[in-house]
Amino acid sequence: MTARAQSWHALRPVSSKMPAVMPLTLDTPTAAELPTLVEIWEAAVRATHHFLPESDLQVIKPLLREQYFPAVQLTCARAESGRILGFLGTSEGMVEMLFVDPACHGQGVGKQLMRHAIDALGTRRVDVNEQNPQAVGFYQHLGFVVTDRSRLDGGGRPFPILHMKLARA
């Protein structure tokens, strides 16, 4: 695919709501589950992207289903119950989106999705909002290093983007 989805990433400190390590199933969400992904995206963005104005959230939200989801390979992480806890979107060796339900932040969901992206899908690059230091630290912990910086995000908004590449597998 040549289209790149908007990169927004979500992480926050450990939650005491779930166990530290949980068994997850990774699979492709169905079309009927896309509204759940939008709900997870919105909750995660509201929990981590405090710099993003409400007006931008409302502009981006419909674009998820219309443009961004179709432009990526989606993978969701499910609890044993089947509930989707987070999702990943990749395209052409790049993580385009990673969002985890805020109730599950810090519980290994994002890490398992990223290990899948790296090991099974061969992704080696990710863009992350500079104003989301938890996400920057998360990717650095996984072996990504900053290779460049853009002063505007993919939508031309004044939210700097750090371009990161995997330094180790």
Side-chain angles (χ1 to χ4, degrees):
M1 287 180 212
T2 57
R4 287 190 42 201
Q6 189 83 3
S7 293
W8 300 99
H9 305 278
L11 292 170
R12 82 172 202 202
V14 175
S15 166
S16 60
K17 296 179 184 176
M18 296 207 156
V21 177
M22 62 180 82
L24 298 176
T25 300
L26 302 182
D27 63 19
T28 302
T30 66
E33 293 173 317
L34 295 181
T36 300
L37 301 190
V38 173
E39 290 172 10
I40 290 170
W41 171 85
E42 184 171 6
V45 168
R46 288 187 185 282
T48 61
H49 292 63
H50 305 290
F51 57 89
L52 194 63
E54 181 67 27
S55 58
D56 285 355
L57 283 171
Q58 297 312 313
V59 167
I60 295 166
K61 190 173 176 178
L63 296 176
L64 289 167
R65 287 192 66 177
E66 296 168 9
Q67 294 179 18
Y68 301 153
F69 290 166
V72 297
Q73 177 181 343
L74 289 169
T75 303
C76 64
R78 297 177 190 274
E80 289 180 289
S81 66
R83 178 175 157 246
I84 298 174
L85 305 178
F87 69 94
L88 169 80
T90 60
S91 177
E92 298 179 352
M94 183 157 180
V95 173
E96 297 285 356
M97 56 183 73
L98 172 64
F99 296 98
V100 174
D101 181 328
C104 302
H105 285 181
Q107 303 301 317
V109 175
K111 184 175 182 178
Q112 287 185 53
L113 283 164
M114 283 301 296
R115 290 291 358 142
H116 173 74
I118 293 165
D119 297 340
L121 304 177
T123 59
R124 297 293 182 261
R125 296 175 291 126
V126 64
D127 287 349
V128 61
N129 289 102
E130 183 178 65
Q131 293 160 295
N132 188 349
Q134 291 170 326
V136 174
F138 170 76
Y139 292 118
Q140 287 172 330
H141 178 74
L142 293 177
F144 287 82
V145 295
V146 175
T147 58
D148 200 6
R149 179 185 184 271
S150 298
R151 62 182 189 83
L152 303 176
D153 71 8
R157 292 176 291 269
F159 307 117
I161 298 294
L162 299 178
H163 307 285
M164 302 180 82
K165 184 174 182 179
L166 188 63
R168 60 178 169 79

